[in-house]
Amino acid sequence: QLEQQQQPTGLYVRVRGMVKHFNTAKGVFKAVDGVDVDIPPSSICALLGPSGSGKTTLLRLVAGLELPTGGKIYFDDLDATDLAVQDRQVGLVFQSYALFNHMTVSENIKFGLQVRKLPVDHDKRAADLLELVQLTGLGDRYPRQLSGGQRQRVALARALASNPRLLLLDEPFGALDAVVRKQLRAGLKEIVRSVGVTTIIVTHDQEEAFDLADQVVIFNRGLIEQSGSPNEIIKRPATPFVMGFVGDTNSVPAGCMLVRRSGFNPRLGKARVMFRPSDIRLSKEYVATLDGQQVTPATVNEAANMGWTMKYTLKFDDDVECEFSVTRAQADKEFKLDVGQRIYVVVPPSAMMEFDETELGSAPII
Ligand code: ATP
């Protein structure tokens, strides 16, 4: 634990009308195209979205590594838009470790303190930080003598050394394997909570974003599609893009039997309709209605064993298919379905969301 008097309070970060255009050979590229975000003090915010959607650019703008084409950044009540990087009190961690290879772990951690001539006991501070990131005893090693995960812990300790009020992380665990990622994620969460630093993390990894963050911001083409708690994003996706990007979805033509019988009224012409597999209800015996809704008959077309889950593909009589998964336990009991079996399906219209395919935005690249 860091000493109490050294404990910084996280910054309140507000981004207003943020725009960043790059001039390229092909013309102006709108990497960030009018973005507002509020990040309360000491909270963790994850920026999530497809590759090239503008997440890193926004992080670099907040860090002061890029200057905006337009818009404002406020740190508490201060207009920080034009503040130099070194005056922003931010700690940075990137995917590439960016440690100094000719310096020991302790020297790496103390580097920022020395540059800034911070009036604290540098050795004690380095020792405290090594303890915080659980690397006690490794201070005299060189980066090459550490594992990838350990190096990222050092990078985190170094970023925290000068008591930043804002911690910015760009795919910090991107180069590490899944097991190490998970461990570091848990460690990071604990550390930023105990230090109280406001944290913004850019990630491709949905699980990471939803596990770590108080607030998840979904980017698409330089714009924010939705910003909210992990629960809000998962339970109440605001746009078809978010629904398609986060979690499993089925996508069927708006004019198909299932949608028509559900009573869902599409507003668009050649639209499609999305719904979560978990919203499918079914009966193995014939019933006219289920949960007060007219059923659509379907045939079990495929049953795939995915290990912990069984994935079923259903085919309706108009050849439209959809999928859903159940846990093994469910598959062994009430959801035991056989290929070729007739079943009767409903999806509540409230669980359906229509979209125009051409409006959906770039395909997620994960
Ligand atoms: P990734 O997850 O792949 O890092 P991202 O969402 O972080 O993607 P950014 O790195 O912010 O995306 O990039 C957004 C877009 O801006 C990309 O298409 C990128 O090519 C472009 N871009 C970024 N920096 C520059 C630059 N200096 N000059 C021109 N274009 C740039």
Side-chain angles (χ1 to χ4, degrees), residues 133-355:
V133 297
Q134 297 182 352
L135 290 179
T136 301
L138 300 189
D140 293 330
R141 289 213 194 163
Y142 285 89
R144 64 173 181 276
Q145 298 170 312
L146 300 176
S147 70
Q150 290 171 331
R151 280 181 224 162
Q152 267 324 51
R153 286 175 205 254
V154 177
L156 180 62
R158 193 179 58 175
L160 291 171
S162 53
N163 271 328
R165 299 188 59 207
L166 175 62
L167 181 65
L168 303 176
L169 309 146
D170 192 354
E171 297 273 3
F173 314 136
L176 305 169
D177 71 58
V179 176
V180 178
R181 277 180 91 104
K182 245 187 174 153
Q183 284 169 354
L184 285 189
R185 190 160 89 205
L188 173 72
K189 198 167 175 174
E190 219 179 289
I191 289 166
V192 301
R193 291 271 186 248
S194 72
V195 176
V197 63
T198 306
T199 300
I200 309 178
I201 178 167
V202 167
T203 176
H204 265 102
D205 183 333
Q206 299 201 6
E207 193 184 306
E208 191 164 284
F210 286 100
D211 178 36
L212 270 178
D214 302 298
Q215 179 187 8
V216 177
V217 179
I218 310 276
F219 268 77
N220 180 30
R221 294 173 166 177
L223 291 168
I224 293 176
E225 292 269 342
Q226 187 173 5
S227 170
S229 69
N231 216 9
E232 277 165 355
I233 303 264
I234 292 166
K235 296 257 170 70
R236 290 192 297 279
T239 67
F241 176 85
V242 175
M243 182 146 179
F245 186 67
V246 176
D248 298 328
T249 46
N250 282 297
S251 161
V252 297
C256 77
M257 282 175 73
L258 177 69
V259 173
R260 276 191 283 117
R261 288 191 178 219
S262 75
F264 181 84
N265 289 316
R267 286 175 297 106
L268 301 166
K270 282 184 90 178
R272 292 181 73 83
V273 164
M274 277 192 278
F275 56 89
R276 300 260 184 244
S278 54
D279 286 316
I280 293 175
R281 298 278 169 274
L282 60 88
S283 165
K284 291 195 267 186
E285 278 88 48
Y286 173 76
V287 284
T289 60
L290 190 61
D291 295 339
Q293 207 184 315
Q294 193 185 5
V295 299
T296 310
T299 305
V300 179
N301 211 28
E302 248 180 85
N305 185 345
M306 312 297 284
W308 293 110
T309 56
M310 277 301 281
K311 188 167 84 186
Y312 294 113
T313 308
L314 309 180
K315 194 174 209 163
F316 297 98
D317 294 348
D318 55 2
D319 279 347
V320 169
E321 290 188 358
C322 71
E323 285 180 353
F324 74 103
S325 297
V326 295
T327 63
R328 283 237 60 102
Q330 287 174 311
D332 289 343
K333 285 188 242 155
E334 74 266 30
F335 271 108
K336 185 159 174 30
L337 302 178
D338 298 314
V339 172
Q341 185 176 352
R342 264 321 241 183
I343 55 167
Y344 305 89
V345 177
V346 298
V347 174
S350 59
M352 294 182 173
M353 188 185 267
E354 71 175 312
F355 67 102

Side-chain angles (χ1 to χ4, degrees), residues 20-24 27 29-32 47-60 66 95 170-171 202-204 219 222 365:
K20 179 68 187 180
H21 292 174
F22 291 109
N23 291 313
T24 69
F29 185 84
K30 299 171 178 175
V32 174
L47 308 183
L48 186 66
S51 189
S53 56
K55 311 176 296 284
T56 296
T57 304
L58 182 67
L59 196 80
R60 291 174 58 82
E66 300 278 1
Q95 179 175 342
D170 192 354
E171 297 273 3
V202 167
T203 176
H204 265 102
F219 268 77
I365 304 164

